[in-house]
Amino acid sequence: SYISALNLDKNKVEYFLYHNYQSEVVFGIKVDYNFEKKKITPFSYCDGQWVKKLAWKDIKDWKRPLFNLPQLLNSNQDILVLEGEQKTVKAAKLFQDKFICTTFQGGISNWKHTDWSSLAGRKITLWPDIDQDGGGLKNFEKLAIFLIKEHDCDARIVKLPNFDDLKKQ
């Protein structure tokens, strides 16, 4: 199994699975806290074995599925998009009666490599991180425009203080 093959059963390790439209695991993300700085490793099933890489990313025109895709497809609740799997899991518990929570793999600029078609016509709330350089908000603004234009979504961004305002407090 992938759990033992990838050492996902170690202490201080979390993992998050991404599924396709048939609810099959396409790839996962391993977060290992056994280092000075957390180590994030993608994994996927390729050529009959589990490998420590995102094997699908080099396939032309392949788009990464959204995290929690089966829940997104089986619910008509509004969608909350966050940065990162850990935040998404925590937000899903907090907002379970209001939103289906999701994210995309690979960091803020990788939203462009994601298949957003499952959200067509839906109401979307985007909740960026508060980054020192403002990159999260800038990319979420681009994502909101993309969702509105390309997928006819009602996309909005959570208004948050900026990094400098928080630093002053």
Side-chain angles (χ1 to χ4, degrees):
S1 95
Y2 62 91
I3 293 176
S4 59
L6 299 164
N7 295 318
L8 300 178
D9 51 357
K10 290 185 352 185
N11 281 340
K12 296 185 178 179
V13 170
E14 288 183 286
Y15 64 94
F16 306 93
L17 303 176
Y18 283 75
H19 299 81
N20 61 17
Y21 282 92
Q22 292 76 37
S23 296
E24 301 163 327
V25 175
V26 178
F27 67 90
I29 302 301
K30 173 183 173 182
V31 183
D32 192 337
Y33 298 97
N34 289 300
F35 300 90
E36 190 173 309
K37 184 178 177 186
K38 73 180 177 182
K39 183 178 177 184
I40 299 173
T41 308
F43 60 89
S44 53
Y45 195 74
C46 180
D47 296 328
Q49 64 183 349
W50 288 98
V51 294
K52 294 179 182 178
K53 66 180 184 177
L54 184 56
W56 308 100
K57 73 179 175 86
D58 296 326
I59 296 173
K60 188 178 189 251
D61 298 326
W62 183 75
K63 297 285 187 179
R64 301 167 190 183
L66 288 164
F67 185 62
N68 289 335
L69 183 61
Q71 292 92 328
L72 294 170
L73 297 174
N74 292 312
S75 173
N76 58 7
Q77 281 183 287
D78 294 344
I79 309 298
L80 179 62
V81 179
L82 301 111
E83 289 186 53
E85 295 85 5
Q86 295 160 312
K87 288 181 208 119
T88 300
V89 169
K90 289 177 183 176
K93 291 176 185 171
L94 288 171
F95 301 117
Q96 63 186 341
D97 295 332
K98 180 139 176 79
F99 295 106
I100 297 295
C101 298
T102 191
T103 192
F104 48 94
Q105 191 277 326
I108 186 58
S109 61
N110 279 304
W111 68 264
K112 299 169 197 157
H113 303 290
T114 302
D115 176 5
W116 296 95
S117 63
S118 60
L119 304 185
R122 307 275 296 265
K123 184 175 180 184
I124 317 282
T125 301
L126 304 166
W127 190 331
D129 284 354
I130 301 174
D131 300 314
Q132 188 169 358
D133 66 358
L137 178 59
K138 288 174 192 166
N139 272 286
F140 267 41
E141 287 170 345
K142 292 174 187 175
L143 174 56
I145 292 166
F146 170 81
L147 290 170
I148 292 165
K149 288 184 177 179
E150 299 297 323
H151 295 290
D152 194 32
C153 294
D154 177 2
R156 301 157 191 239
I157 300 174
V158 174
K159 184 161 176 45
L160 299 168
N162 67 38
F163 185 84
D164 290 331
D165 290 340
L166 288 176
K167 213 166 100 174
K168 292 175 191 173
Q169 295 182 1

